[in-house]
Amino acid sequence: NFLSLPCPAEPTPSRRMELSHLGAAHDGLGSVSLRGEGENQPDEGGANKDVRHGVRQNAGQVALHVVVAALIGLVLRLVLLPEALSARQRATKKGSSGGEVDFLIAFGLSKALSNLVAGQLVGILGRRRTCLLGWSLGLALIPAIAAGALYDNVLALHVAHCLLGIHQGITWATNIVCLMDLLGPGRCGLASGLSNASGYFSSAVAAPVVSSLFEAFGGEKSTLPALVATILAGVLLVAQMVETQPWAIAQDRLSEVVFSPGAAVPASRRTVAQRCASFCGCSGVLPALYDLAGLTVNAATGLVWGSLVIWCQETGGLSTVQIGFVESAHTSAKVVAMVGAGYVADRCIGSRLLVALAMGCLTGGLVLLMLQARAELSWQLLYASSCLIGAGVGSAFPALAAAVAVEAQSAGQRASAYCAYRMWRDAGYALGGLAPRLFGNSAGCGSVKGGGDCRGFQETTLAALVWSSVVTVLAFCALCWKKPRRAVLQAAGSERGDAELTMSEEEYRRLG
């Protein structure tokens, strides 16, 4: 056994010898491929043993995952927007107060838990089978939506919201994990940006169309044919995916020296509390802060998807088509921010600073929304607040994904760590749905049109603003947080765990 060092863009002769021992080949252009016995023989998922990291090297599979992400975002819009538009009418019929956005609670909790499950399934079943499982559960969404829409069955709609959360959690988490595997180290922010931007772009384009269909035909049944076509297309495309786990294994074998915050603790020596904290994504101060930031980001998204839509209906007096354009503006700003932030987080200012800036942008958007809630309808203020919140959320998604990936000690641990973070982030949808119950009816002003007082929405927005401000301050304080990094040196080809040897970064540099 020997200690292997990180692979430079142009390996030295000794490094070439090490790569040959590992079964790896280098093309001299910064791209590394890993070959083993049975070279060029496809594995069970269809992936070739000769794997390369990068966008150009995996252009076909990257494009496939981006298209699948677009279909995931389209499913989300086809189900949630009609539900938000009809929620007020349904809550009035039941005589409930503050329950107009209860659908977000079921959706958020089920999506949060399914993210945690997906983080474990990708290591057990593999990426491809896990994604197929998620889309198969999406097929069950169709009869649930049909029963709820055609027969006005509230129980069927609640089941549909839970199935939508499970479908979104498993498919979207696996989609991003696959892109992280394909793009390789140092591009986790780009992977998250590509997937989320594609999904939310299709969602933004679909919003006005969905609103028009809802106004023309009414109810969730208006989008049912499009939903069926989208889910079937997703199943067919996912069947063409290859298993990307070999890319993660290749990254671990070619990156044997890993700098991680603090001392590495072998898995067999961790206490029960440490294992539980790691399983839930709270293994340290920074991971816990990233979880809190993710929770805040999607709580603000739930506010825009739920309470803001109802406020626009009841207080602003907007038509469903006009509301669709407001939602489209929010999502479009989110998409633009995701594309830029995905590159910036990996290549320029770093993920930690970008998280702080994104939270600041989100807080600024909530300030404008608070001003709009206390005044008569202003198109400029409404669009500015919606777009600024979207830009903050869009910037935070890839920044937090890159930050969580940095904290992971290996590519094998990255998938479970990222999915645990997504659990906390997507629980924010449920928090956004609970807010109207905590602070009163989200419309709160009855049938008053054109700028009536809406105290419940004001209190909900104020609570979101205070919460976001606190998390923003913590994110900027985290820029000063420094922990001594330690190098984890491992014998090539050995299992991670008890075979690890740790030393400080300074000791490693002295060793040369």
Side-chain angles (χ1 to χ4, degrees), residues 72-247:
I72 297 172
L74 188 56
V75 170
L76 181 69
R77 182 64 76 186
L78 288 171
V79 177
L80 282 192
L81 185 54
E83 181 62 33
L85 292 172
S86 59
R88 179 64 175 166
Q89 180 181 2
R90 187 174 293 116
T92 303
K93 186 184 298 184
K94 292 191 300 181
S96 62
S97 176
E100 299 90 340
V101 291
D102 281 353
F103 65 93
L104 285 175
I105 301 175
F107 168 74
L109 291 177
S110 59
K111 188 180 180 187
L113 293 175
S114 64
N115 277 314
L116 192 62
V117 173
Q120 306 304 312
L121 289 180
V122 292
I124 299 172
L125 300 179
R127 275 69 162 159
R128 183 173 178 269
R129 289 178 178 176
T130 303
C131 202
L132 280 170
L133 174 63
W135 278 100
S136 300
L137 292 172
L139 291 172
L141 180 64
I142 298 172
I145 290 286
L150 297 177
Y151 303 106
D152 198 21
N153 190 319
V154 177
L155 178 60
L157 287 176
H158 284 317
V159 172
H161 302 153
C162 293
L163 287 173
L164 176 67
I166 295 171
H167 166 266
Q168 293 283 303
I170 294 178
T171 56
W172 219 328
T174 310
N175 183 270
I176 296 175
V177 168
C178 289
L179 282 172
M180 287 181 177
D181 293 340
L182 293 170
L183 299 187
R187 294 188 180 93
C188 292
L190 179 61
S192 174
L194 283 175
S195 179
N196 284 297
S198 175
Y200 285 108
F201 175 76
S202 67
S203 180
V205 172
V209 179
V210 172
S211 299
S212 301
L213 289 173
F214 183 89
E215 192 169 43
F217 302 101
E220 291 84 351
K221 62 180 179 293
S222 58
T223 59
L224 196 56
L227 180 64
V228 173
T230 304
I231 292 179
L232 290 177
V235 173
L236 293 176
L237 285 179
V238 169
Q240 308 304 314
M241 285 173 48
V242 299
E243 176 58 58
T244 62
Q245 204 158 10
W247 277 258

Side-chain angles (χ1 to χ4, degrees), residues 17-41:
M17 182 178 64
E18 291 176 6
L19 289 175
S20 65
H21 281 295
L22 280 171
H26 199 288
D27 62 4
L29 299 175
S31 172
V32 180
S33 61
L34 179 70
R35 299 188 180 96
E37 294 182 6
E39 180 180 358
N40 296 328
Q41 297 298 318

Side-chain angles (χ1 to χ4, degrees), residues 367-501:
V367 169
L368 295 182
L369 188 61
M370 184 67 203
L371 295 176
Q372 174 62 92
R374 293 179 177 272
E376 293 189 359
L377 177 66
S378 167
W379 281 105
Q380 293 83 357
L381 200 55
L382 181 61
Y383 272 103
S385 61
S386 181
C387 290
L388 200 56
I389 292 174
V393 172
S395 301
F397 270 39
L400 287 168
V404 170
V406 167
E407 295 299 310
Q409 292 182 358
S410 70
Q413 296 174 357
R414 182 179 60 207
S416 58
Y418 176 68
C419 290
Y421 146 76
R422 282 178 61 93
M423 176 194 69
W424 291 104
R425 192 195 73 185
D426 290 335
Y429 292 128
L431 185 62
L434 282 171
R437 287 202 175 275
L438 297 175
F439 300 101
N441 192 346
S442 56
C445 45
S447 58
V448 178
K449 304 288 182 182
D453 180 39
C454 191
R455 181 168 299 175
F457 182 64
Q458 292 175 8
E459 293 177 353
T460 302
T461 308
L462 178 61
L465 174 59
V466 172
W467 180 282
S468 179
S469 300
V470 172
V471 177
T472 301
V473 171
L474 292 176
F476 276 101
C477 291
L479 297 176
C480 305
W481 176 268
K482 292 183 179 179
K483 290 183 68 177
R485 298 193 304 168
R486 303 185 69 83
V488 181
L489 277 72
Q490 181 187 4
S494 67
E495 296 281 339
R496 286 193 179 273
D498 291 329
E500 292 173 343
L501 168 69

